[in-house]
Amino acid sequence: MFEFLQIIGDLISAVHLTSVVAMLIGLSMGILIGVLPGMGPLLGAVLAIPFTFYMDPVPAIALLLGIYQGGNYGGAITATVLGIPGTPMSAATLLDAYPMANRGLASEAVTLAAIASFFGTVFSGIVLILISKTLAKIAIGFGPAETMSLALLGLTAIAALSHGSLVKGLIAGAFGLSIATIGNDPITGFTRFNFGRTELEGGVTLVAMFMGIFAVSELLIQIEKPFRAFQATKRLGISFSMFKTLGPKFFGYLRSSIVGVGIGSIPVVGNTTSSFLSYKLAKDFSKRPGNFGKGEPDGVIASEAANSACTGGALIPMLALGIPGDPVVAVVMGGLLIQGLSPGPTLFFTQAQALTGIFAAFLIGGILLLPLGLASITVFMRVLKIPLSILLAAVLALIIIGTFLVQRHIFDLWQLWFFGAVGYAMRKTGFPLIPVVIGFVLGPIFEVNLRRTTIIMSGDFFGYMATRPVALVVLVLAAIALLAPLVQTWYLRLTQIRAERAKGSHQKKGSTNLS
Amino acid sequence: MRIDLKDLLPGLCGLGFGSWLLRETYLLDVELAQHVGGGMNAAGYPRLLSLLILGCSMFLVCQALIRGVRRQMPPSDDSQVGDTWVFKKAGIAFLGFMVYTLLLNHVGYLIITPPLLGLITVLVGERRKLVIAATAILITLVLYTVTFYAFHIVLPEGVLRYVIG
């Protein structure tokens, strides 16, 4: 009890006006970019990251977290009004929010989404504060072998993100890891692969890489699409009667939030999975399962509470173990690195004050999301009326300025276009982009600890690993995580072939009987 | 025989990149790194990565050649491209980025940015000249002002340096 009160006291004392302002800006930006179909919190965080260079650590991370939280909610507005998911994680929200809107309950659906987002975010924030420090206390005793294994486990998330082709995902991940080797060797300081450019001695510029891979490639893809405009015809407002659902549907909010935190804390499984899983659970537990998909408020609660709770869940492995739990969190991790804060267990002991500030900002963000999200619905809906050409021009200008501001080198712009071209080519040939970023972020941690492990074990891998059971277990988990999608694909194919054969033999039997 | 270029081309690119990386690891002067307690040296780790890339790329190329027919690709909005004009649009935009970067320092941010933004708005499909010009100029000016007053950073002045003095 005393410890809990101490945590509350620490959180209150860590609140600063600059963090609250940064969080408000982040939430507004997040909702804005979440409302725009095809864009999402990932692009928002990438666009904002250069500006964090000029901020103190806590407001900088608060800005990024605000975009993350706001972006998740913004997608629900588009799902309700236009019937298209503003972000991938709001796809499950759409199933019931859009039918609700078609029945004239658009305001109710959006208000419910805001309440669920608020509940999920605040709940995940509390879990984040309570669990991450305990996890960090365990992880602080980890040596290079354990850290290397954990980084490898994070890298196997590549398998989960390689939709369609594991091989392409592995190439993308290895490309990201290779890019991370450019510059000074982390152990000896020896310069590698810098092409004779002094600008590359410190490595590839993180912002140019993120902006190029995601933002420039997205811009080029958007340019290719036919000219389009969105027509939002539904009127939106606040439905205060929806606040009454907090009592009778409390367990629905809680269950969805628990699912969100749980799924979110598994590296890179992501909030889209959590919202669909939570939606299915809500349907299974419901007394009216037939209403799901036809405008059932419980469906909106399940999806929105879960995908918002993912935000806190995904931060747990990143802060406590240094493994990003989600692509947006990988960008937030980049933001921490820019601020000189190295994610992982040591962060809890060396930068405890900054971390408490980040926790406080996260909770404040969750709380502010409700009034801001509801009060500004009509304002954000107007964004949909802005022509796409103007929005893309503004995004391009932000990309250029953002990249240039970091070091004020024209060379960074060349890096930006290079990674933009790589990202564009990857999208066109069906390569996933996230593994490149995961590889780039986790690469240095993985390399340093892998090489330290090889030094310590002096050639006796099995003998050394026998003394490190935690590392061994994590390595086995990593192997399972990597092989699971392959086994699943083979199993599905085998079942399909068997079914086809069985169908064929039935048809043969039928034809012989007829003859 | 129809070969899946979506696998073959990136596979070949991967083979090229992997081979280059492997060659670079051998060219690296690793004398400095070799004596770190007998562990993996500065070239060893990238060499592992190059082998992984080579292996996966080889698999991709073989897969494309052996199948010899167009693979069932997962539906992706990004890869659904009907005509060559869309590729040209991306190409023109990219060319614009190159020219912009080459001229930025010499011509200056305030002069070179509006044409680039105008080009993008035209490529997206905007045809109203006033909207194109106003968008390009306003965005440029707003961002210049923000960086100047909020971050105290002067963006490349280019020829304006001589005009204003």
Side-chain angles (χ1 to χ4, degrees):
Chain A
M1 184 67 187
F2 175 74
E3 200 176 339
F4 183 71
L5 287 174
Q6 198 181 2
I7 292 172
I8 303 265
D10 288 347
L11 287 173
I12 292 168
S13 60
V15 177
H16 289 288
L17 186 65
T18 46
S19 307
V20 177
V21 171
M23 186 46 94
L24 270 173
I25 295 170
L27 282 171
S28 308
M29 276 178 69
I31 299 173
L32 190 81
I33 210 147
V35 164
L36 297 167
M39 300 186 189
L42 181 61
L43 185 66
V46 168
L47 287 176
I49 210 166
F51 300 97
T52 63
F53 266 85
Y54 299 89
M55 298 165 81
D56 288 332
V58 178
I61 304 305
L63 180 80
L64 297 176
L65 291 177
I67 292 171
Y68 189 22
Q69 294 173 350
N72 275 359
Y73 164 67
I77 301 177
T78 323
T80 308
V81 180
L82 295 178
I84 45 173
T87 55
M89 48 269 191
S90 53
T93 310
L94 179 145
L95 297 175
D96 283 291
Y98 190 57
M100 274 180 84
N102 283 340
R103 289 197 338 240
L105 299 171
S107 302
E108 282 76 2
V110 172
T111 310
L112 215 50
I115 297 168
S117 296
F118 153 76
F119 192 98
T121 310
V122 172
F123 177 83
S124 72
I126 295 167
V127 176
L128 167 73
I129 294 163
L130 295 177
I131 288 186
S132 54
K133 193 165 184 183
T134 316
L135 197 60
K137 274 181 187 166
I138 299 167
I140 195 78
F142 287 177
E146 287 79 10
T147 314
M148 179 268 292
S149 315
L150 280 170
L152 192 67
L153 182 67
L155 287 169
T156 54
I158 286 166
L161 291 162
S162 309
H163 309 291
S165 171
L166 177 64
V167 180
K168 285 184 176 177
L170 284 174
I171 295 175
F175 177 68
L177 289 167
S178 312
I179 297 298
T181 62
I182 292 174
N184 294 336
D185 170 30
I187 290 192
T188 60
F190 192 77
T191 305
R192 299 178 295 188
F193 318 125
N194 72 331
F195 307 98
R197 305 281 315 202
T198 47
E199 294 98 327
L200 284 175
E201 278 179 10
V204 165
T205 311
L206 183 132
V207 172
M209 199 258 190
F210 278 22
M211 287 271 203
I213 287 278
F214 288 118
V216 174
S217 66
E218 178 65 39
L219 187 91
L220 291 171
I221 294 288
Q222 292 285 345
I223 286 172
E224 289 181 343
K225 289 181 178 172
F227 189 67
R228 60 204 182 280
F230 300 107
Q231 286 294 327
T233 51
K234 295 178 181 69
R235 285 181 170 275
L236 282 179
I238 306 168
S239 172
F240 288 101
S241 61
M242 288 296 110
F243 283 90
K244 291 176 189 163
T245 60
L246 270 168
K249 295 186 189 298
F250 180 79
F251 285 104
Y253 283 105
L254 188 67
R255 181 189 53 234
S256 309
S257 303
I258 292 170
V259 170
V261 174
I263 298 288
S265 59
I266 305 169
V268 202
V269 175
N271 29 24
T272 310
T273 314
S274 79
S275 55
F276 275 104
L277 183 67
S278 167
Y279 184 85
K280 191 187 173 298
L281 276 176
K283 194 177 173 183
D284 292 344
F285 277 95
S286 175
K287 288 171 187 165
R288 308 175 299 273
N291 287 359
F292 276 72
K294 294 171 189 165
E296 172 61 47
D298 287 354
V300 179
I301 294 172
S303 165
E304 277 306 300
N307 73 39
S308 298
C310 254
T311 52
L315 286 172
I316 297 171
M318 189 271 273
L319 290 174
L321 306 171
I323 300 172
D326 165 289
V328 188
V329 171
V331 179
V332 177
M333 188 168 160
L336 280 168
L337 292 170
I338 286 168
Q339 295 292 335
L341 305 174
S342 183
T346 48
L347 189 67
F348 285 77
F349 305 98
T350 55
Q351 297 286 344
Q353 205 179 354
L355 202 61
T356 314
I358 292 168
F359 285 153
F362 186 91
L363 279 179
I364 289 169
I367 295 162
L368 287 176
L369 183 63
L370 188 60
L372 185 76
L374 287 175
S376 54
I377 290 173
T378 44
V379 179
F380 289 123
M381 285 311 296
R382 285 194 188 136
V383 174
L384 287 171
K385 291 180 184 166
I386 300 173
L388 190 73
S389 52
I390 296 178
L391 285 173
L392 289 183
V395 167
L396 175 65
L398 273 175
I399 292 170
I400 293 170
I401 291 274
T403 309
F404 186 78
L405 279 183
V406 178
Q407 299 185 99
R408 287 167 245 174
H409 286 164
I410 293 288
F411 187 72
D412 284 349
L413 288 181
W414 289 116
Q415 290 188 59
L416 172 79
W417 308 133
F418 170 77
F419 286 111
V422 170
Y424 176 76
M426 287 176 74
R427 280 175 191 256
K428 284 286 169 191
T429 47
F431 274 81
L433 297 181
I434 310 285
V436 183
V437 174
I438 302 276
F440 184 72
V441 170
L442 283 180
I445 304 166
F446 180 62
E447 183 185 1
V448 168
N449 288 290
L450 173 73
R451 286 173 58 190
R452 279 184 189 153
T453 309
T454 60
I455 293 166
I456 297 167
M457 71 187 188
S458 316
D460 183 14
F461 177 77
F462 292 104
Y464 178 68
M465 283 319 242
T467 63
R468 316 297 300 191
V470 176
L472 205 59
V473 169
V474 178
L475 276 181
V476 171
L477 284 176
I480 292 170
L482 191 68
L483 294 174
L486 273 181
V487 175
Q488 195 186 8
T489 314
W490 286 334
Y491 179 74
L492 283 174
R493 251 184 224 170
L494 200 69
T495 322
Q496 206 179 351
I497 291 167
R498 276 184 188 161
E500 276 169 14
R501 276 185 192 161
K503 203 178 164 187
S505 63
H506 272 296
Q507 278 174 346
K508 268 187 184 175
K509 272 184 190 175
S511 58
T512 28
N513 284 346
L514 278 174
S515 60
Chain B
M1 188 174 86
R2 293 172 78 188
I3 296 169
D4 184 3
L5 291 178
K6 274 188 178 173
D7 278 352
L8 186 70
L9 285 180
L12 291 173
C13 288
L15 281 177
F17 177 70
S19 311
W20 170 80
L21 189 61
L22 187 65
R23 180 177 163 270
E24 285 295 310
T25 62
Y26 283 104
L27 289 178
L28 261 179
D29 181 14
V30 289
E31 286 302 313
L32 284 168
Q34 263 171 353
H35 306 289
V36 187
M40 189 183 275
N41 65 31
Y45 172 73
R47 192 169 298 143
L48 272 181
L49 294 176
S50 69
L51 292 174
L52 177 65
I53 292 171
L54 281 172
C56 289
S57 304
M58 185 64 84
F59 180 86
L60 217 54
V61 170
C62 291
Q63 187 175 261
L65 291 175
I66 291 167
R67 284 188 178 174
V69 286
R70 195 169 284 270
R71 258 183 71 202
Q72 290 281 316
M73 297 298 291
S76 149
D77 261 4
D78 300 347
S79 54
Q80 303 291 309
V81 180
D83 55 69
T84 50
W85 166 234
V86 290
F87 280 117
K88 278 185 194 161
K89 282 211 272 188
I92 293 168
F94 204 75
L95 197 69
F97 299 156
M98 297 290 112
V99 174
Y100 176 83
T101 313
L102 279 172
L103 298 180
L104 182 60
N105 256 349
H106 307 289
V107 181
Y109 171 83
L110 280 173
I111 295 174
I112 195 79
T113 306
L116 180 72
L117 300 186
L119 173 74
I120 295 300
T121 43
V122 169
L123 287 174
V124 176
E126 184 62 66
R127 291 290 172 267
R128 292 166 294 179
K129 284 173 189 165
L130 187 68
V131 174
I132 296 166
T135 304
I137 293 167
L138 274 176
I139 292 172
T140 307
L141 285 176
V142 166
L143 284 176
Y144 185 84
T145 315
V146 168
T147 48
F148 188 78
Y149 288 104
F151 301 108
H152 308 291
I153 289 169
V154 182
L155 293 164
E157 290 168 311
V159 289
L160 284 181
R161 194 185 306 140
Y162 306 107
V163 176
I164 298 165

